[in-house]
Amino acid sequence: MEKDLNERLRKRASQHFLDSIAVKQDAEKVLPDSVALGVLAMVECLRAGGKVMACGNGGSAADAQHFAAEFVGRFERERPELGAIALTTDSSIITAIANDYSYEQIFSKQVRALGQSGDVLLAITTSGSSPNVLAAIQAAHERDMTVVALTGKGGGKMSQALRETDVHICVPHDRTARIQEVHLLAIHCICDGVDA
């Protein structure tokens, strides 16, 4: 019985590896151009003294924090600190806004308070339809900011919310776990590209 269970679990784990590899191979065919555009938008922003603000929910919130850590700290080589803020980390701000206004405004109010013309918003949502991320995009546009969007599942509502000057990195897949794995890879590609 235990040997049977171990074998089933091994096969499941193996299939996850194979599925992840396949999605990344599919993504490699369509995402490098948009990743490069995202890098260029961020480099232009940083060279002008701006900052990148990142937001998302759940696993995407963790990705936003991971991104900010790589920018402010370092990615793979020593270099000056880069301006980045994860809008997912201040529990007092988030809970005050969610309680006094609505959860939908937890990122948009921060973008309006901190965002300036020329800054970049890194908007992360696997579905492309998270209301609070969509509201953050609207606030970023009000502040004349560029949006770099990380989505999947065809882009969801975000496809209509983005402007021609924004960058859409849409993972060609529908499964959340696979999309998140490619999002992390895209974030690392962005960090590497900015450093380069």
Side-chain angles (χ1 to χ4, degrees):
M1 180 77 167
E2 189 175 316
K3 186 177 178 184
D4 238 16
L5 179 61
N6 285 344
E7 181 58 21
R8 286 200 319 269
L9 292 173
R10 189 202 67 75
K11 284 182 179 178
R12 288 183 68 84
S14 178
Q15 192 59 53
H16 279 286
F17 279 97
L18 294 172
D19 291 348
S20 185
I21 290 165
V23 172
K24 287 174 183 165
Q25 287 176 324
D26 291 343
E28 185 276 331
K29 295 172 186 159
V30 296
L31 296 186
D33 286 340
S34 53
V35 168
L37 291 172
V39 169
L40 292 172
M42 290 184 193
V43 168
E44 182 179 339
C45 161
L46 295 165
R47 283 186 174 156
K51 64 193 162 301
V52 181
M53 292 181 279
C55 66
N57 298 288
S60 298
D63 285 343
Q65 291 168 221
H66 185 137
F67 167 82
E70 304 280 29
F71 259 46
V72 174
R74 69 163 184 239
F75 178 55
E76 291 186 326
R77 65 177 175 182
E78 293 299 327
R79 48 118 172 99
E81 297 80 6
L82 303 174
I85 301 169
L87 303 179
T88 56
T89 58
D90 192 322
S91 59
S92 295
I93 288 175
I94 291 170
T95 56
I97 295 169
N99 185 64
D100 297 347
Y101 299 93
S102 73
Y103 189 75
E104 188 173 315
Q105 296 183 53
I106 62 169
F107 302 135
S108 59
K109 283 191 155 297
Q110 292 184 76
V111 170
R112 287 189 187 96
L114 303 170
Q116 298 178 349
S117 177
D119 285 346
V120 170
L121 175 69
L122 178 62
I124 310 170
T125 164
T126 58
S127 68
S129 297
S130 300
N132 56 4
V133 177
L134 290 166
I137 289 171
Q138 181 179 347
H141 288 156
E142 291 168 10
R143 289 284 186 259
D144 195 29
M145 295 168 57
T146 299
V147 176
V148 176
L150 285 173
T151 68
K153 301 182 183 183
K157 293 178 182 177
M158 196 178 288
S159 295
Q160 289 81 45
L162 297 173
R163 296 178 174 170
E164 283 187 23
T165 53
D166 295 328
V167 179
H168 192 184
I169 303 169
C170 183
V171 179
H173 207 270
D174 289 329
R175 189 170 175 189
T176 299
R178 299 289 88 90
I179 295 166
Q180 289 173 329
E181 290 160 6
V182 177
H183 281 181
L184 181 56
L185 178 57
I187 286 168
H188 283 165
C189 290
I190 289 169
C191 292
D192 173 73
V194 170
D195 282 2

